[in-house]
Amino acid sequence: MISKLSIMEAGLACLLFSMGFLTEVPAFYSCPSPVLPTGTKVALTESTVILTCGEEERFVNSTIEWRFNGNKKILKDKRSTENKNVLVLQSITLKETGIYSCYIDGELIDTHNVSVREALQKPSVSCYRRSPINKIRCEWKLSKKWPYSIRASLVVKKGFSGLPSEYKCRYYELSNKFSCIVNHTEEDDILYFVKMCVTDGYTTESSKEDMLSSQRIIKPDPPENVTVNPVQNAPQKLNVTWVYPRSWWTTFYRLRFQIRYRADRVQDFTTMPEVLKTSCMIDDAWMKFKHIVQVRGMEEFRYGTWSEWSEEVSNTPWTEPEPEPSTPQYQPFETPVTTEDLEVYNTDGVTCRTVDCNENSGRTSDVFSYRNQPACSSVHLLDSRNYPNSHHSSVHLSYQQVQLDFLHPSSQADGASV
């Protein structure tokens, strides 16, 4: 359960900050400096390093020679002319890490082990909990890949009177960040003071001291399995569903959710009112346009902050399908057609024999007209150029076949019914 005492304690601290009584978190820990090997001198890139060779008064009439890793030619442009026993290395680089030795009249006098390092990035720590029952996770994301190994630890003090405790941090190469886990229980609702220490074994850097409330840093992971589906017969609706993130391990505490969406051609999102359920209906979607939808979550009673938005999911509202063109259905004659029932018309080399539709025939049919010439729906087509004397005693034909044959008369075979 969320403690009212912890909320009051956090509220009091925030009040002191807002009124100016606390301008910064009091220092409670100093990061230790690394123990260097004997004779090692650490220098940051682009800095100036001064190396001495014994006592100056000893070498008034002597010849002094400096060597870098045993090679004396490399140091010609780096040697200072002000003092014979002093070597000045200006704007030093990482390549100048090594052993610097000075010789007097051929005799080795001094050796300096110089380690050149890039200045460590100053860590910036952000802490959060994925749910009210989760431990505290503090992270620092580096701005770039580091050229050599570094280590990080988080120093934590519980409350104003607690003693500092150190937590080792783990480095994740893929995301280039350090992550530290702080033990915390649901009932342990107090203020925390945190500070991160970073070292490469030669230099040390630290973050500023920060104060946080275990309840105010609750930040869920984004909702998962977000789906967007059209609604049947509703051209302006989209049904959005999702599930709780897997890291929200509790059913006692709930989340509230917020949905935002936009049509594909629009830049700005429309944000919907918050809901406690895991579904929502968009009622004003643009017809026939794809829509992009995202969902985020927050603790039900607004402890902590909103999660990040979920990944974008898209879909298009329901669209009424285009009607298919209807094809009229006609029944063929059920009785045979004889040659006595046929009348012949010649049209552009195609012989068109139509059924006699007078009242004496005793038959009824739909009348088809070709080039303003009356005709019945049952016909037989022949190419008069190839089959001038063809006769047929009986055929069964339909109106639909007549249409096709008048469009493509050359495709008919001898004596074929169309």
Side-chain angles (χ1 to χ4, degrees):
M1 297 295 291
I2 297 175
S3 169
K4 292 184 178 180
L5 182 60
S6 66
I7 300 173
M8 292 175 61
E9 185 181 22
L12 177 60
C14 293
L15 180 62
L16 293 175
F17 269 101
S18 63
M19 295 178 65
F21 292 104
L22 286 176
T23 57
E24 60 182 19
V25 178
F28 65 93
Y29 186 81
S30 296
C31 297
S33 299
V35 179
L36 301 176
T38 304
T40 300
K41 186 179 184 65
V42 178
L44 299 180
T45 55
E46 301 302 321
S47 64
T48 298
V49 177
I50 300 176
L51 305 177
T52 59
C53 182
E55 298 177 1
E56 181 179 0
E57 58 271 14
R58 292 180 51 191
F59 315 118
V60 176
N61 298 318
S62 302
T63 301
I64 302 177
E65 181 183 70
W66 287 93
R67 297 181 185 179
F68 174 63
N69 292 334
N71 191 337
K72 59 183 179 181
K73 295 181 181 180
I74 298 177
L75 297 177
K76 285 185 177 180
D77 296 334
K78 295 287 184 178
R79 185 175 302 165
S80 171
T81 58
E82 295 180 0
N83 298 298
K84 288 186 176 180
N85 70 322
V86 174
L87 177 67
V88 180
L89 305 174
Q90 297 178 342
S91 300
I92 197 167
T93 64
L94 293 174
K95 294 181 179 180
E96 293 175 290
T97 294
I99 306 297
Y100 292 81
S101 307
C102 78
Y103 293 79
I104 297 179
D105 297 331
E107 178 185 357
L108 177 63
I109 302 299
D110 267 330
T111 299
H112 301 274
N113 183 8
V114 178
S115 178
V116 184
R117 318 292 290 184
E118 286 190 21
L120 289 171
Q121 298 178 34
K122 189 174 184 66
S124 178
V125 184
S126 61
C127 299
Y128 63 91
R129 297 166 65 197
R130 289 194 171 106
S131 80
I133 63 173
N134 279 49
K135 296 179 179 180
I136 297 174
R137 182 183 294 270
C138 294
E139 295 179 342
W140 169 45
K141 185 174 179 59
L142 285 73
S143 59
K144 65 176 183 178
K145 293 286 186 180
W146 211 241
Y148 37 80
S149 175
I150 57 176
R151 300 184 302 274
S153 61
L154 189 73
V155 181
V156 180
K157 186 178 77 164
K158 293 184 178 181
F160 289 96
S161 59
L163 296 176
S165 300
E166 186 178 10
Y167 295 86
K168 299 297 183 183
C169 303
R170 180 179 177 183
Y171 176 69
Y172 292 87
E173 184 175 3
L174 187 61
S175 55
N176 193 31
K177 69 179 180 181
F178 281 96
S179 181
C180 327
I181 304 298
V182 179
N183 293 327
H184 176 81
T185 59
E186 184 181 355
E187 296 79 14
D188 194 11
D189 300 325
I190 59 176
L191 287 174
Y192 286 86
F193 296 89
V194 298
K195 181 177 183 178
M196 180 173 283
C197 299
V198 180
T199 181
D200 59 1
Y202 293 87
T203 59
T204 301
E205 188 59 87
S206 63
S207 68
K208 66 176 184 178
E209 288 85 356
D210 198 6
M211 178 182 65
L212 54 91
S213 164
S214 58
Q215 301 303 334
R216 292 176 179 268
I217 61 172
I218 296 175
K219 183 180 180 180
D221 284 334
E224 300 176 358
N225 298 340
V226 180
T227 62
V228 181
N229 294 303
V231 180
Q232 186 70 22
N233 298 324
Q236 287 189 285
K237 290 187 176 183
L238 287 170
N239 185 33
V240 185
T241 62
W242 60 89
V243 298
Y244 274 63
R246 285 168 288 181
S247 56
W248 193 267
W249 293 342
T250 173
T251 57
F252 181 80
Y253 296 98
R254 299 175 61 193
L255 290 172
R256 62 174 57 246
F257 300 96
Q258 194 173 58
I259 302 91
R260 70 177 185 180
Y261 64 95
R262 64 177 176 87
D264 193 26
R265 63 186 300 178
V266 178
Q267 296 296 325
D268 297 329
F269 280 93
T270 297
T271 302
M272 301 185 65
E274 299 169 12
V275 297
L276 295 176
K277 55 185 180 180
T278 55
S279 64
C280 183
M281 185 70 70
I282 299 175
D283 296 319
D284 57 352
W286 290 21
M287 293 187 293
K288 299 183 180 181
F289 280 93
K290 183 174 72 173
H291 285 68
I292 298 169
V293 181
Q294 290 179 296
V295 186
R296 65 178 181 176
M298 185 183 195
E299 199 275 332
E300 179 183 6
F301 298 105
R302 301 184 185 279
Y303 290 109
T305 59
W306 284 103
S307 73
E308 300 296 330
W309 288 102
S310 63
E311 294 184 1
E312 293 183 349
V313 181
S314 62
N315 210 332
T316 305
W318 175 85
T319 303
E320 185 176 4
E322 296 290 337
E324 297 182 0
S326 59
T327 303
Q329 300 294 327
Y330 294 90
Q331 298 295 328
F333 289 111
E334 296 181 357
T335 58
V337 180
T338 65
T339 56
E340 296 177 356
D341 297 318
L342 300 177
E343 183 178 356
V344 178
Y345 296 101
N346 289 322
T347 55
D348 298 333
V350 176
T351 299
C352 179
R353 301 178 183 274
T354 67
V355 176
D356 184 3
C357 292
N358 59 40
E359 297 179 357
N360 298 328
S361 67
R363 303 185 181 89
T364 59
S365 64
D366 296 327
V367 177
F368 178 80
S369 177
Y370 179 71
R371 294 189 179 180
N372 298 321
Q373 298 180 0
C376 288
S377 62
S378 293
V379 300
H380 193 76
L381 297 182
L382 295 173
D383 189 336
S384 62
R385 294 168 294 183
N386 297 328
Y387 307 100
N389 300 319
S390 179
H391 298 282
H392 298 271
S393 60
S394 65
V395 290
H396 289 272
L397 305 168
S398 68
Y399 173 73
Q400 184 179 5
Q401 292 167 323
V402 173
Q403 282 186 303
L404 294 174
D405 282 311
F406 276 123
L407 291 173
H408 308 286
S410 62
S411 65
Q412 305 306 314
D414 179 20
S417 298
V418 291

